[in-house]
Amino acid sequence: MTKRMADGGRAQVVATARKLFQERGFHQTAMAELSERAGISVGQIYRLFANKSEMIAAIIEDDTEAQIASMAEIRSAVAEGRMSAQEGFRTIAFDTLTAGEEALTFEILAEGFRNPAIGEGIGVFCDRYRAKLRDLIVSTNANITGDRLAAAEEMLLAILFGLGNRSLSKPQLSAEDTANYAAAMIVGMLTASCAKAD
């Protein structure tokens, strides 16, 4: 099997696993169904992945690279003056709101609590994403440093996670309006006084 065939097979399995884990759940997805939907034999799948946990790790890896690339583009646009910090946060919020994989996110998080390797992968993603958020925070307010900067990073991670997983809360605003208001509020929070709480 050539590397190109292996890479193509891997991508097909990951894309199919992503859909099935979203639709059915991680533990409810049978390898036979995955094989049938992907059009790849079970044996070939096992040559690419030792188990379904490795598929989740691959999904996390692919998502991490895509998110980091997107964040780097936004950060560059802000740094070069092609986009304001608020527009950058609006873009991040809107992309988060419209990603459409909430069930998959919860499947991955649940598996992260059961499987230390998956949990570590989630942690690596968060560390890398946090670093990109830090760049945007500092571009909004260079006076935020130390513990205040760490707190701002944590708040933004929590806000973005919440925005990306809000459909069951019966949201009252469109994704567009929510992204606009969220970005304005984030910039307002970051530019306001950041006095340490007593």
Side-chain angles (χ1 to χ4, degrees):
M1 176 174 57
T2 67
K3 183 178 185 307
R4 175 182 281 179
M5 287 172 63
D7 289 346
R10 177 194 180 280
Q12 182 64 24
V13 171
V14 171
T16 305
R18 180 187 293 274
K19 289 176 188 171
L20 286 171
F21 294 168
Q22 166 89 0
E23 292 168 10
R24 298 191 185 286
F26 176 69
H27 292 286
Q28 291 73 32
T29 297
M31 197 63 81
E33 182 177 15
L34 178 59
S35 168
E36 182 180 341
R37 291 268 295 263
I40 296 173
S41 71
V42 171
Q44 178 60 30
I45 291 173
Y46 277 118
R47 282 191 282 278
L48 295 167
F49 299 96
N51 50 48
K52 288 189 286 184
S53 291
E54 284 192 4
M55 294 175 203
I56 283 188
I59 290 169
I60 294 170
E61 181 182 343
D62 289 354
D63 287 353
T64 298
E65 295 310 317
Q67 291 283 347
I68 296 305
S70 176
M71 288 286 286
E73 287 177 19
I74 291 167
R75 177 63 186 102
S76 293
V78 171
E80 295 165 9
R82 293 181 283 115
M83 180 184 282
S84 69
Q86 184 164 322
E87 289 169 328
F89 284 120
R90 191 214 71 81
T91 300
I92 294 166
F94 185 76
D95 290 349
T96 301
L97 285 158
T98 56
E101 292 188 331
E102 292 175 63
L104 178 62
T105 297
F106 285 111
E107 285 290 321
I108 290 172
L109 289 172
E111 195 60 22
F113 283 106
R114 292 186 287 260
N115 183 324
I118 299 299
E120 178 63 22
I122 294 167
V124 168
F125 166 77
C126 289
D127 281 345
R128 292 184 65 194
Y129 196 75
R130 185 182 286 111
K132 295 299 180 186
L133 282 175
R134 184 180 310 127
D135 290 343
L136 278 174
I137 292 166
V138 172
S139 73
T140 305
N141 184 350
N143 294 319
I144 301 178
T145 59
D147 287 347
R148 291 182 300 171
L149 179 56
E153 292 166 10
E154 293 305 318
M155 287 295 294
L156 286 179
L157 279 173
I159 289 167
L160 292 170
F161 178 79
L163 290 176
N165 297 285
R166 70 176 193 141
S167 68
L168 295 179
S169 70
K170 299 184 180 178
Q172 299 179 22
L173 295 175
S174 68
E176 185 72 34
D177 286 344
T178 302
N180 289 335
Y181 284 121
M185 290 176 183
I186 288 167
V187 170
M189 174 187 77
L190 295 175
T191 55
S193 171
C194 292
K196 184 176 179 181
D198 292 332

